[in-house]
Amino acid sequence: MSTHAAPRKKVTVLSLRKKKRNGVPITMMTAYDYPSARSVEDAQLDMILVGDSLGMVVLGYDNTLSVTMDDMVHHCKAVARGAQTPMLVGDMPFMSYQVDIKEAVRNAGRLLAEGNMDAVKLEGGIEMVDTARAIVNAGIPVVGHIGLTPQSVNQLGGFKVQGRKATAAAKLLEDALAMQDAGCCAIVLEAVPDRVAKYISETLQVPTIGIGGGNGCDGQVLVYHDILGFFDKFTPRFVKQYSQLNTVIGDALTAYKTEVESRTFPAAEHSFTMKDEEWTAFLELVEPKVNANDWFGIAS
Ligand code: KIV
């Protein structure tokens, strides 16, 4: 009997549907570069989102609005080099799909052709149906994103829970159904009351991926830096920190500083040796010149 596990299969839109049908939760995590993608690959999660949240957690902006298509392509490429089996979803940044449908299709295409993604994600409900359908018609899988849509932070008046009122919840359901109709292969539900998210998940044929949507969604996504305790500007209520990397990194950097300043680092095991006879030959070569204050012809 072979002891080798079979190589993991690539996750596709069909595997996601199958998981939903079988009631198996879908796991998704953001990643923004080669090492984070490698970690998500090694942990065998189903999907990676190269989120425009990179504007906040990697580039230090206050929101996601300044992220450009070139930023996204750059980070998508790095992630694709680090992860082969998860389904890779590239976020369409602010103003890359809102102005013109042709431009939206072209930009979605860039995330696949240049960024090596498998699918794209865009924010919005009914108002984005034509755009989503055009991208799907171009052969590009689209993940929808409704509820708290961070690119509309100024219109929403902040990063706030959506769909708490009956009419707002009904509008979310309409948005979800419209995006499913447009051909979306999955829908992210962000910051939505758990019973509303569960109702939408049970109504849709395509999987829902919750972030602050409770555990009735078909899958979950969180931001890499949030779960690792690697981003401390603010922590939304829906985040669970599984580690405190900021503390681990801070301790490591302080220890390095202390050891360099006390000459404890580098120790012998971090240094390279030279044979005695080469050292003696070296001294014979250079010392007459040093002593004559004539360093290879350069007089001091
Ligand atoms: O950009 C992002 O990380 C996202 C998730 C919060 C869903 O859109």
Side-chain angles (χ1 to χ4, degrees), residues 90-142:
D91 228 351
M92 299 205 60
F94 184 55
M95 286 299 122
S96 69
Y97 59 99
Q98 289 92 341
V99 177
D100 178 72
I101 291 184
K102 275 192 183 158
E103 200 183 347
V105 176
R106 207 168 290 121
N107 282 328
R110 276 192 74 192
L111 292 182
L112 270 68
E114 295 175 45
N116 295 315
M117 296 287 101
D118 304 311
V120 302
K121 176 172 83 58
L122 55 82
E123 298 181 6
I126 288 172
E127 68 286 359
M128 278 300 149
V129 157
D130 291 341
T131 305
R133 186 173 287 119
I135 298 173
V136 171
N137 286 343
I140 300 170
V142 175

Coordinates of all heavy atoms in Angstrom, one line a residue, residues 90-142:
G90 N -9.8 37.1 -7.9 CA -9.2 38.4 -7.8 C -10.3 39.4 -7.7 O -11.3 39.4 -8.4
D91 N -10.1 40.4 -6.7 CA -11.1 41.4 -6.5 C -11.0 42.5 -7.6 O -9.9 42.9 -7.9 CB -10.8 42.1 -5.1 CG -12.0 42.2 -4.3 OD1 -13.1 41.9 -4.8 OD2 -11.9 42.5 -3.1
M92 N -12.1 42.9 -8.1 CA -12.1 44.1 -9.0 C -12.1 45.3 -8.2 O -13.0 45.6 -7.4 CB -13.3 44.0 -10.0 CG -13.3 42.7 -10.8 SD -14.1 42.8 -12.3 CE -13.3 44.1 -13.2
P93 N -11.1 46.2 -8.4 CA -11.0 47.4 -7.5 C -12.0 48.5 -7.9 O -12.5 48.4 -9.0 CB -9.5 47.8 -7.7 CG -9.1 47.4 -9.0 CD -9.9 46.1 -9.3
F94 N -12.1 49.4 -7.0 CA -13.0 50.6 -7.2 C -12.8 51.2 -8.5 O -11.6 51.5 -8.9 CB -12.8 51.6 -6.0 CG -13.7 52.8 -6.0 CD1 -15.0 52.6 -6.0 CD2 -13.1 54.0 -6.0 CE1 -15.9 53.7 -6.0 CE2 -13.9 55.2 -5.9 CZ -15.3 55.0 -5.9
M95 N -13.8 51.5 -9.3 CA -13.8 52.2 -10.6 C -13.2 51.3 -11.7 O -12.9 51.8 -12.8 CB -13.0 53.5 -10.5 CG -13.8 54.6 -9.8 SD -15.4 54.9 -10.7 CE -16.6 54.6 -9.4
S96 N -13.0 50.0 -11.5 CA -12.5 49.2 -12.6 C -13.7 48.5 -13.3 O -13.5 47.9 -14.3 CB -11.6 48.1 -12.1 OG -12.3 47.1 -11.3
Y97 N -14.9 48.7 -12.7 CA -16.1 48.0 -13.3 C -17.4 48.8 -13.3 O -18.4 48.5 -13.8 CB -16.3 46.6 -12.7 CG -16.6 46.7 -11.2 CD1 -17.9 46.6 -10.7 CD2 -15.5 46.7 -10.3 CE1 -18.1 46.6 -9.3 CE2 -15.7 46.8 -8.9 CZ -17.0 46.7 -8.5 OH -17.2 46.7 -7.1
Q98 N -17.3 50.0 -12.6 CA -18.5 50.8 -12.3 C -18.9 51.7 -13.5 O -20.0 52.1 -13.7 CB -18.4 51.6 -11.1 CG -18.5 50.8 -9.8 CD -17.1 50.4 -9.3 OE1 -16.1 50.4 -10.0 NE2 -17.0 50.0 -8.0
V99 N -17.8 52.1 -14.3 CA -18.1 53.2 -15.3 C -18.7 52.6 -16.6 O -19.6 53.2 -17.1 CB -16.7 53.9 -15.6 CG1 -16.9 54.9 -16.7 CG2 -16.1 54.5 -14.3
D100 N -18.2 51.5 -17.0 CA -18.5 51.1 -18.4 C -18.4 49.5 -18.5 O -17.4 49.0 -18.0 CB -17.5 51.8 -19.3 CG -17.6 51.4 -20.7 OD1 -18.6 51.8 -21.4 OD2 -16.8 50.6 -21.2
I101 N -19.4 48.9 -19.1 CA -19.4 47.4 -19.1 C -18.2 46.8 -19.9 O -17.6 45.9 -19.4 CB -20.7 46.9 -19.6 CG1 -21.8 47.3 -18.5 CG2 -20.7 45.4 -19.8 CD1 -23.2 46.7 -18.8
K102 N -17.9 47.5 -21.0 CA -16.8 47.0 -21.8 C -15.5 47.0 -21.0 O -14.6 46.1 -21.0 CB -16.6 47.8 -23.1 CG -17.5 47.4 -24.2 CD -17.0 48.0 -25.5 CE -18.0 47.7 -26.6 NZ -17.9 48.6 -27.7
E103 N -15.3 48.1 -20.3 CA -14.1 48.3 -19.5 C -14.0 47.3 -18.4 O -13.0 46.7 -18.0 CB -14.1 49.7 -18.9 CG -12.7 50.2 -18.5 CD -12.8 51.6 -17.8 OE1 -13.9 52.3 -18.0 OE2 -11.8 52.0 -17.2
A104 N -15.2 47.0 -17.8 CA -15.3 46.0 -16.8 C -14.9 44.6 -17.3 O -14.1 43.9 -16.6 CB -16.8 45.9 -16.2
V105 N -15.3 44.2 -18.5 CA -15.0 42.9 -19.0 C -13.5 42.9 -19.3 O -12.8 41.9 -19.0 CB -15.8 42.6 -20.3 CG1 -15.3 41.3 -21.0 CG2 -17.3 42.6 -20.1
R106 N -12.9 44.0 -19.8 CA -11.5 44.0 -20.1 C -10.7 43.9 -18.8 O -9.7 43.1 -18.8 CB -11.2 45.4 -20.8 CG -10.0 45.3 -21.7 CD -9.8 46.5 -22.6 NE -10.8 46.6 -23.7 CZ -11.6 47.6 -23.8 NH1 -11.6 48.6 -23.0 NH2 -12.5 47.6 -24.8
N107 N -11.1 44.6 -17.8 CA -10.4 44.6 -16.5 C -10.5 43.2 -15.9 O -9.5 42.7 -15.3 CB -10.9 45.7 -15.6 CG -10.3 47.0 -16.0 OD1 -9.2 47.1 -16.5 ND2 -11.0 48.1 -15.8
A108 N -11.7 42.6 -15.9 CA -11.9 41.2 -15.4 C -10.9 40.3 -16.1 O -10.2 39.4 -15.5 CB -13.3 40.8 -15.5
G109 N -10.8 40.5 -17.4 CA -9.9 39.6 -18.3 C -8.5 39.8 -17.8 O -7.7 38.8 -17.8
R110 N -8.1 41.0 -17.5 CA -6.7 41.2 -17.0 C -6.4 40.4 -15.8 O -5.3 39.9 -15.6 CB -6.5 42.7 -16.7 CG -6.1 43.6 -17.9 CD -5.6 44.9 -17.4 NE -4.3 44.9 -16.8 CZ -3.7 45.8 -16.1 NH1 -4.4 47.0 -15.9 NH2 -2.5 45.7 -15.7
L111 N -7.4 40.3 -14.9 CA -7.1 39.5 -13.6 C -6.9 38.0 -13.9 O -6.1 37.4 -13.2 CB -8.2 39.7 -12.6 CG -8.4 41.1 -12.0 CD1 -9.5 41.2 -11.0 CD2 -7.1 41.6 -11.4
L112 N -7.5 37.5 -15.0 CA -7.2 36.1 -15.4 C -6.0 36.0 -16.3 O -5.1 35.2 -16.0 CB -8.4 35.5 -16.1 CG -9.5 34.9 -15.2 CD1 -10.2 35.9 -14.3 CD2 -10.5 34.0 -16.0
A113 N -5.9 36.9 -17.3 CA -4.8 36.7 -18.3 C -3.5 37.1 -17.7 O -2.5 36.4 -17.9 CB -5.1 37.5 -19.5
E114 N -3.4 38.2 -17.0 CA -2.2 38.7 -16.4 C -2.0 38.2 -15.0 O -0.9 37.9 -14.6 CB -2.1 40.2 -16.5 CG -2.1 40.8 -17.8 CD -2.1 42.4 -17.8 OE1 -1.4 43.0 -17.0 OE2 -2.9 42.9 -18.5
G115 N -3.0 38.2 -14.2 CA -2.9 37.9 -12.8 C -3.0 36.4 -12.5 O -2.8 36.0 -11.3
N116 N -3.4 35.7 -13.5 CA -3.5 34.2 -13.3 C -4.6 33.8 -12.3 O -4.4 32.7 -11.6 CB -2.1 33.6 -13.0 CG -1.2 33.7 -14.1 OD1 -1.5 33.5 -15.3 ND2 0.0 34.2 -13.8
M117 N -5.6 34.6 -12.2 CA -6.7 34.2 -11.3 C -7.7 33.2 -12.0 O -7.6 33.1 -13.3 CB -7.5 35.4 -10.9 CG -6.7 36.4 -10.0 SD -6.5 35.8 -8.3 CE -4.8 35.2 -8.4
D118 N -8.6 32.6 -11.3 CA -9.6 31.7 -11.9 C -10.9 32.4 -12.0 O -11.8 31.9 -12.7 CB -9.8 30.4 -11.0 CG -8.4 29.7 -10.8 OD1 -7.7 29.5 -11.8 OD2 -8.1 29.4 -9.6
A119 N -11.1 33.4 -11.2 CA -12.4 34.1 -11.1 C -12.2 35.5 -10.6 O -11.1 35.9 -10.1 CB -13.4 33.4 -10.2
V120 N -13.2 36.4 -10.8 CA -13.1 37.7 -10.2 C -14.3 37.9 -9.2 O -15.3 37.2 -9.3 CB -13.2 38.8 -11.3 CG1 -12.1 38.6 -12.3 CG2 -14.6 38.8 -12.1
K121 N -14.2 38.9 -8.4 CA -15.2 39.3 -7.5 C -15.6 40.8 -7.7 O -14.6 41.6 -7.9 CB -14.8 39.1 -6.0 CG -15.9 39.5 -5.0 CD -15.6 39.1 -3.6 CE -14.7 40.0 -2.9 NZ -15.1 41.4 -2.7
L122 N -16.8 41.1 -7.6 CA -17.2 42.5 -7.7 C -18.4 42.8 -6.7 O -19.1 41.9 -6.3 CB -17.6 43.0 -9.1 CG -18.7 42.2 -9.9 CD1 -20.0 42.7 -9.5 CD2 -18.4 42.4 -11.4
E123 N -18.4 44.0 -6.3 CA -19.4 44.4 -5.2 C -20.6 45.0 -5.9 O -20.6 45.7 -6.9 CB -18.8 45.5 -4.3 CG -17.6 45.0 -3.5 CD -16.9 46.0 -2.6 OE1 -17.5 47.1 -2.5 OE2 -15.9 45.7 -2.0
G124 N -21.8 44.7 -5.3 CA -23.0 45.3 -5.8 C -24.1 44.2 -6.0 O -23.8 43.1 -6.3
G125 N -25.4 44.7 -6.0 CA -26.5 43.8 -6.3 C -27.2 44.1 -7.6 O -26.4 44.1 -8.7
I126 N -28.5 44.4 -7.6 CA -29.2 44.6 -8.9 C -28.5 45.5 -9.8 O -28.5 45.3 -11.0 CB -30.7 45.0 -8.5 CG1 -31.4 43.8 -7.9 CG2 -31.4 45.5 -9.7 CD1 -32.8 44.1 -7.3
E127 N -28.0 46.6 -9.3 CA -27.4 47.6 -10.2 C -26.1 47.1 -11.0 O -25.7 47.7 -11.9 CB -27.0 48.9 -9.4 CG -25.9 48.8 -8.4 CD -26.2 48.0 -7.1 OE1 -27.4 47.5 -6.9 OE2 -25.3 47.8 -6.2
M128 N -25.6 45.9 -10.5 CA -24.4 45.4 -11.2 C -24.7 44.1 -12.0 O -23.8 43.5 -12.5 CB -23.4 45.0 -10.1 CG -22.6 46.1 -9.6 SD -21.6 46.8 -11.0 CE -21.6 48.5 -10.4
V129 N -26.0 43.8 -12.2 CA -26.4 42.6 -12.9 C -25.9 42.6 -14.3 O -25.3 41.6 -14.8 CB -27.9 42.5 -12.8 CG1 -28.5 41.6 -13.9 CG2 -28.3 41.9 -11.5
D130 N -26.0 43.7 -15.1 CA -25.6 43.7 -16.5 C -24.1 43.5 -16.6 O -23.6 42.8 -17.5 CB -26.1 45.0 -17.2 CG -27.6 45.0 -17.3 OD1 -28.2 44.0 -17.2 OD2 -28.1 46.2 -17.5
T131 N -23.4 44.1 -15.7 CA -21.9 44.0 -15.7 C -21.5 42.6 -15.4 O -20.7 42.0 -16.1 CB -21.4 45.0 -14.6 OG1 -21.9 46.3 -14.9 CG2 -19.8 45.0 -14.7
A132 N -22.1 42.0 -14.3 CA -21.7 40.7 -14.0 C -22.1 39.7 -15.1 O -21.2 38.8 -15.5 CB -22.5 40.3 -12.7
R133 N -23.2 39.9 -15.8 CA -23.6 39.0 -16.8 C -22.6 39.1 -18.0 O -22.2 38.1 -18.6 CB -25.0 39.3 -17.3 CG -25.5 38.3 -18.3 CD -27.0 38.5 -18.6 NE -27.9 38.0 -17.6 CZ -28.8 38.8 -16.9 NH1 -28.9 40.1 -17.3 NH2 -29.5 38.3 -16.0
A134 N -22.2 40.3 -18.3 CA -21.3 40.5 -19.5 C -19.9 39.8 -19.2 O -19.3 39.2 -20.0 CB -21.1 42.0 -19.7
I135 N -19.5 39.9 -17.9 CA -18.2 39.2 -17.6 C -18.4 37.7 -17.6 O -17.5 37.0 -18.2 CB -17.7 39.7 -16.2 CG1 -17.5 41.2 -16.2 CG2 -16.5 39.0 -15.7 CD1 -17.2 41.8 -14.8
V136 N -19.5 37.2 -17.1 CA -19.8 35.8 -17.2 C -19.8 35.3 -18.6 O -19.3 34.3 -19.0 CB -21.1 35.4 -16.4 CG1 -21.4 34.0 -16.7 CG2 -20.9 35.7 -14.9
N137 N -20.5 36.1 -19.5 CA -20.6 35.8 -20.9 C -19.2 35.8 -21.6 O -19.1 35.2 -22.7 CB -21.5 36.8 -21.6 CG -23.0 36.5 -21.3 OD1 -23.3 35.4 -20.8 ND2 -23.9 37.4 -21.5
A138 N -18.3 36.5 -21.0 CA -16.9 36.4 -21.6 C -16.2 35.2 -21.1 O -15.0 35.0 -21.4 CB -16.2 37.7 -21.2
G139 N -16.8 34.3 -20.3 CA -16.2 33.1 -19.9 C -15.4 33.2 -18.6 O -14.6 32.4 -18.2
I140 N -15.7 34.3 -17.8 CA -15.0 34.5 -16.6 C -15.9 34.3 -15.4 O -17.0 35.0 -15.3 CB -14.5 36.0 -16.6 CG1 -13.6 36.2 -17.8 CG2 -13.8 36.3 -15.3 CD1 -13.2 37.7 -18.0
P141 N -15.6 33.3 -14.5 CA -16.5 33.2 -13.4 C -16.5 34.4 -12.5 O -15.4 35.0 -12.3 CB -15.9 32.0 -12.6 CG -15.0 31.3 -13.7 CD -14.6 32.3 -14.6
V142 N -17.7 34.8 -12.0 CA -17.8 36.0 -11.1 C -18.4 35.6 -9.8 O -19.4 34.9 -9.7 CB -18.8 37.0 -11.8 CG1 -19.0 38.2 -10.9 CG2 -18.2 37.5 -13.1

